[in-house]
Amino acid sequence: AKSHMRSPLLGLNGVAAMKACYRRFDPAAYLQYNYTPPRADFTRKDSIVPWKLACLHRAFTEGDMSGELLVDIGSGPTLYQVMSGCEVFSKVLLTDFLEVNRQELRRWLQDEGQCSLDWTPYLQHVCKLEGRRPSAWTEKAAKLRQVVADILPIDVHCSQPLAPDALPLAGADCLVSCFCLESVSPDLAAFTRALGHIGKLLRPGGHLMLIGALGESYYFAGPGVRIPVVPLNEAQVCTSLKESGYTLIRLEVYTLTQDMRVGVDDVTGVFFVKAKKD
């Protein structure tokens, strides 16, 4: 146990320290930092959010997806990651550790207004990727609200991340997880363990779509709220997936242009993974 004492962010102490960091997470600020221009500029080919949406669209529409249930691991306060998947899977579960994030998602799903971000341009962009007119965004919004069955608490550091009765016995057919695992893990070993934990929610042969940060050591989750991140490289991502029982189908990398580096983090790139559970 002594080896855990070197750093407050190692081992179980580390998981507790990470959870403490998240007490000050500010959904509205986080959305402002990451999901508005220049990072979400739909007029630009090289903006990061359109890149992510294109990766997800392609992954969900290649024809190798089957089943009914899609689970989004660590949704945060965002919805973009299930806008393509809601057309492929008849049931979507959103999950997050933080009640403030689950609240933010509920506000949109119940259409109460007071949302911290207008998702319309995202819905319009995904409609365009699907070859529909942008005005079809209202149909897509309705579809998403209809397909999302629940918003559940999750803890990726538990060997059983969701409540036992949350999923059918067979498990989910597909998982998507964006910027969650590396930003809630104290170190690479914890990141790899978390990948294994969420894998237990997935049926054998089911797909995992993973989006995450490369070379990132921190990000701001609100004014002055600095959260440590496990800095990953592509090789580490591949090794962690293999060790956790996944077969890699594809890895794509986006390198941030200078103007995407807006001072809210030190991320250098973003990876997109499509993998299959062994």
Side-chain angles (χ1 to χ4, degrees):
K2 283 213 170 74
S3 65
H4 289 328
M5 305 315 288
R6 282 198 307 271
S7 146
L9 286 182
L10 284 179
L12 289 173
N13 301 347
V15 167
M18 286 302 311
K19 286 176 179 174
C21 289
Y22 274 89
R23 282 182 205 135
R24 295 168 62 212
F25 187 93
D26 178 344
Y30 174 80
L31 289 166
Q32 185 59 43
Y33 296 161
N34 295 289
Y35 294 99
T36 60
R39 289 187 167 182
D41 185 341
F42 296 105
T43 63
R44 282 176 55 176
K45 278 271 184 281
D46 63 347
S47 179
I48 185 165
V49 167
W51 180 84
K52 289 189 284 191
L53 291 173
C55 287
L56 288 161
H57 166 72
R58 177 181 165 198
F60 277 115
T61 53
E62 285 178 301
D64 56 351
M65 296 276 167
S66 65
E68 279 154 30
L69 177 61
L70 169 66
V71 180
D72 181 28
I73 306 288
S75 306
T78 69
L79 287 157
Y80 70 90
Q81 64 277 16
V82 292
M83 287 178 183
S84 290
C86 76
E87 305 288 347
V88 181
F89 293 93
S90 56
K91 185 177 172 183
V92 172
L93 292 176
L94 303 176
T95 69
D96 201 72
F97 180 69
L98 294 177
E99 173 57 28
V100 284
N101 284 335
R102 299 195 299 267
Q103 201 78 52
E104 177 70 40
L105 297 171
R106 274 196 290 270
R107 276 200 290 272
W108 187 86
L109 285 167
Q110 290 157 11
D111 210 357
E112 294 165 9
Q114 303 117 32
C115 285
S116 302
L117 189 74
D118 177 11
W119 292 104
T120 309
Y122 286 74
L123 293 158
Q124 289 172 327
H125 187 77
V126 178
C127 283
K128 229 156 63 178
L129 291 173
E130 290 168 357
R132 296 151 74 179
R133 11 173 251 305
S135 59
W137 76 268
T138 52
E139 292 158 38
K140 182 175 270 298
K143 175 83 176 221
L144 187 51
R145 288 188 170 106
Q146 173 213 323
V147 167
V148 173
D150 215 343
I151 304 167
L152 302 172
I154 190 167
D155 185 345
V156 298
H157 298 303
C158 288
S159 68
Q160 197 172 13
L162 289 173
D165 54 355
L167 297 185
L169 214 50
D173 299 294
C174 184
L175 301 181
V176 61
S177 186
C178 302
F179 303 103
C180 170
L181 305 183
E182 73 279 7
S183 59
V184 300
S185 296
D187 49 39
L188 182 61
F191 170 82
T192 307
R193 278 195 301 274
L195 260 180
H197 293 159
I198 67 169
K200 293 179 186 172
L201 305 172
L202 189 59
R203 67 166 169 83
H207 286 87
L208 167 70
M209 251 83 83
L210 195 63
I211 295 182
L214 293 169
E216 181 175 51
S217 69
Y218 74 89
Y219 76 97
F220 283 105
V225 184
R226 189 181 162 116
I227 295 187
V229 180
V230 183
L232 298 170
N233 61 40
E234 290 120 286
Q236 288 168 326
V237 172
C238 293
T239 303
S240 292
L241 283 163
K242 203 170 171 180
E243 284 175 14
S244 309
Y246 302 93
T247 297
L248 183 67
I249 296 172
R250 179 165 72 248
L251 173 84
E252 296 179 59
V253 172
Y254 170 96
T255 304
L256 268 81
T257 57
Q258 208 43 55
D259 61 331
M260 295 291 150
R261 302 183 187 200
V262 289
V264 296
D265 52 44
D266 61 350
V267 64
T268 59
V270 174
F271 67 85
F272 175 85
V273 155
K274 183 174 182 173
K276 208 170 181 168
K277 182 175 169 177
D278 299 342

